Amino acid sequence: MSGVEVTPLCDAVGPMGAAIRRPPATMFAGSALPDEPWVLHFHCYLIRVADGRLTLVDTGIGAADSPAASWAPVPGTLTGELAAVGVEPAEITTVILTHLHSDHASGAVADGGPAFENARYVLQRAELDAASGPMLDEIVTTIKGQLHVVEGDAEVAPGVHVHAAPGHTPGHQIARVGEVAMTGDLVLHPVQLADPGIRYLYDDDQEAAARTRTKVLARLRAEHAILATAHFSEPFLRL
């Protein structure tokens, strides 16, 4: 798609905290990964279309007291990353939340209110219905007046589509613009590119996630798409 710019924004870098850290071979059963620290990059993505409209995919780990604080390297630096590319939060008109895990959606809120005051927050119905705990009480409740709830595939901004990709969470979704697919937690580790059947300990439904991963990656490979991942060290990967 011509006239579209996708910019990676690195919200944080670091390992999982002790609360959920496990040996990599345990987190990815059957992978035979060595017992070395798994350092995650926490990527969000800014989409700028030809008419200047801005869409943000995921909002990162949030402030020092966010729901991600128990395990992720808070605070996130998303606001600074946006400023570095000349964007103020108020300029963003659409925010796509791939899912409601704390490292993807906590930055949707800042100082007790929506961090992106002029944006619609796009969320799958199944994800909203499954929301609970701090992510419901602190995040969803705060942005509820700006929610744009979809079911399945939808165009949520000019040329920007979301596609349901459940398994990691009930309403997990990916975002597509042109040849770029922003995959959220469809793929957590590069070993899953070689074998999409390798399961991840923290997928809500490991069997469904493996089916979704296998199907979606096959389609993206057939299209020679570019993956824009959430947690790989390099944000972009051509399939």
Side-chain angles (χ1 to χ4, degrees):
M1 181 179 176
S2 62
V4 175
E5 181 181 275
V6 180
T7 303
L9 307 167
C10 189
D11 186 53
V13 179
M16 288 180 166
I20 64 172
R21 186 186 304 141
R22 302 289 183 274
T26 299
M27 283 195 285
F28 298 94
S31 67
L33 285 169
D35 188 10
E36 299 172 349
W38 180 31
V39 177
L40 293 88
H41 290 67
F42 297 80
H43 294 301
C44 308
Y45 291 90
L46 179 71
I47 302 169
R48 190 190 303 265
V49 297
D51 66 3
R53 275 184 274 193
L54 298 171
T55 296
L56 180 66
V57 179
D58 283 337
T59 63
I61 57 180
D65 61 350
S66 85
S70 65
W71 71 273
V74 295
T77 60
L78 178 59
T79 301
E81 288 282 287
L82 287 169
V85 295
V87 173
E88 295 293 328
E91 296 178 81
I92 293 172
T93 55
T94 304
V95 173
I96 297 169
L97 298 176
T98 59
H99 61 297
L100 287 174
H101 279 174
S102 58
D103 56 322
H104 291 258
S106 292
V109 169
D111 300 321
F116 304 95
E117 60 193 77
N118 297 316
R120 299 169 302 131
Y121 288 84
V122 180
L123 197 63
Q124 290 284 331
R125 170 63 65 187
E127 194 74 359
L128 179 61
D129 290 347
S132 63
M135 295 308 294
L136 174 60
D137 298 339
E138 299 177 29
I139 306 301
V140 174
T141 298
T142 303
I143 64 173
K144 63 182 179 180
Q146 294 170 224
L147 282 177
H148 175 194
V149 180
V150 299
E151 296 187 52
D153 300 349
E155 184 175 29
V156 297
V160 182
H161 295 78
V162 295
H163 303 278
H168 182 65
T169 62
H172 184 274
Q173 62 184 348
I174 68 172
R176 290 289 307 268
V177 60
E179 62 181 352
V180 181
M182 287 137 284
T183 53
D185 281 352
L186 176 78
V187 181
L188 277 296
H189 192 285
V191 296
Q192 294 177 307
L193 293 176
D195 183 357
I198 290 176
R199 301 182 181 192
Y200 176 55
L201 179 64
Y202 297 120
D203 284 334
D204 283 0
D205 185 331
Q206 293 183 22
E207 184 177 339
R211 285 197 307 268
T212 295
R213 187 163 46 250
T214 300
K215 178 180 178 181
V216 174
L217 286 178
R219 183 171 70 244
L220 294 176
R221 279 198 174 96
E223 298 173 1
H224 303 291
I226 296 172
L227 286 191
T229 63
H231 297 301
F232 288 15
S233 59
E234 295 297 325
F236 295 121
L237 173 68
R238 171 76 74 173
L239 289 180

